[in-house]
Amino acid sequence: MWWWPAFLYPPPAPAFVAAASVAQFALLANAGLGELRGEHMAYSKFWQVVAGKKKNGGGALLPSRQGMLVAYVPAFVAAAASFAVPGAVVGVRAQVLSAALTVHFLKRILEVLFIHQYSGSMPLNTAATISSSYLVITATMIYAQHLAAGLPDPPVDLLYPGVAVFAVGIAGNFYHHYLLSQLRNAAGGSGGGERQYRIPTGGLFGLAACPHYLFEIVGFFGFAMIAQTAHALAVASGTAAYLAGRSCATRRWYESKFEDFPDSIKALVPYIL
């Protein structure tokens, strides 16, 4: 197909994958628009915002650490288990993609256990929503790569540049998560009292409110470059749309809490957005 991008595999024959690509992009992008409209996913600092609108935050609650483990563990298990499924991970590109997904979610789990500081709660339905989204995205990304096995590689090969981009994304995301955890420690630790927030500093926090989201987006485009499937690109684009909306909402939240929040600090991309 002359019109198809030279950096992508041909579109998959099964309608399921095409439908999943469109649906996942649309759901993520709509969630980003929801963040801009004040319809926040009830985790992190926005749990308190949502809880203020709903008496119990929308149903059963989990401690935040347990909620985030519920969100990440199933996708990690799916990515790691793909290596044990005969014929599921064929070829270097598929192996690298499954390994990158495994590393991504293992890092998330280790951060939940050892880096992030928690004091609040998380609605069970929010944890389940995030968990099912990550699980479906991971499984479908691996399946779409499986369908590409045996096809000629795209004329523009982005596998190894994609590994480098993924490495930058995961390292930058971890570094800024670490800075946030240190800020929390300085504000009084993770005891059961009311959470104290401060304006983050260090790294790119002096230029953007959510550099950790910026690097998460970089990591997802690393997945897309490794995979070079339309599905992985749709997921990365949808993730970027969601986190852009979440970043803008976060910046507005900081402005509402801190009168001295600098106007020069953007939401997501330094100097731009």
Side-chain angles (χ1 to χ4, degrees), residues 1 22 24 37-38 47 51 82 116 123 172 217 244 251 260:
M1 293 180 293
V22 173
Q24 288 169 8
R37 295 192 295 262
W47 151 242
S82 68
H116 295 311
I217 291 169
R251 190 187 186 284
D260 58 343

Side-chain angles (χ1 to χ4, degrees), residues 229-247:
T229 61
H231 175 72
L233 180 60
V235 169
S237 301
T239 299
Y242 169 66
L243 291 178
R246 184 83 174 183
S247 297

Side-chain angles (χ1 to χ4, degrees), residues 26-226:
L27 288 171
L28 288 165
N30 185 64
L33 292 173
E35 293 287 342
L36 292 175
R37 295 192 295 262
E39 301 165 3
H40 306 298
M41 288 288 288
Y43 65 93
S44 186
K45 59 180 63 65
F46 288 111
W47 151 242
Q48 297 179 3
V49 175
V50 174
K53 298 178 180 178
K54 300 178 181 180
K55 289 186 178 181
N56 68 346
L61 300 177
L62 294 174
S64 290
R65 194 182 307 276
Q66 293 181 19
M68 298 313 293
L69 288 174
V70 169
Y72 299 140
V73 168
F76 164 73
V77 171
S82 68
F83 288 100
V85 178
V89 182
V90 177
V92 173
R93 190 183 299 274
Q95 292 170 353
V96 172
L97 176 64
S98 288
L101 287 164
T102 302
V103 169
H104 173 80
F105 287 107
L106 176 60
K107 166 191 163 290
R108 292 285 189 91
I109 292 168
L110 293 176
E111 286 177 340
V112 170
L113 293 174
F114 303 113
I115 298 296
H116 295 311
Q117 304 293 328
Y118 298 99
S119 62
S121 300
M122 183 178 186
L124 175 60
N125 60 358
T126 298
T129 298
I130 297 172
S131 179
S132 59
S133 176
Y134 279 138
L135 178 60
V136 170
I137 283 171
T138 300
T140 312
M141 202 180 295
I142 293 171
Y143 179 61
Q145 203 66 45
H146 170 75
L147 294 176
L151 296 176
D153 282 337
V156 179
D157 188 353
L158 299 177
L159 172 58
Y160 294 110
V163 172
V165 170
F166 169 73
V168 170
I170 201 168
N173 180 261
F174 171 79
Y175 175 62
H176 289 90
H177 279 170
Y178 174 76
L179 291 178
L180 286 173
S181 73
Q182 294 302 108
L183 185 73
R184 179 69 198 283
N185 285 336
S190 57
E194 183 179 353
R195 184 162 187 169
Q196 297 179 4
Y197 287 97
R198 299 169 61 185
I199 299 175
T201 58
L204 294 181
F205 279 115
L207 299 173
C210 299
H212 49 306
Y213 289 160
L214 173 62
F215 282 104
E216 185 170 349
I217 291 169
V218 170
F220 268 85
F221 276 100
F223 291 144
M225 293 171 69
I226 291 168

Side-chain angles (χ1 to χ4, degrees), residues 243-261:
L243 291 178
R246 184 83 174 183
S247 297
C248 291
T250 298
R251 190 187 186 284
R252 287 203 303 252
W253 184 90
Y254 279 125
E255 285 184 317
S256 72
K257 294 292 183 181
F258 303 102
E259 294 182 358
D260 58 343
F261 189 78

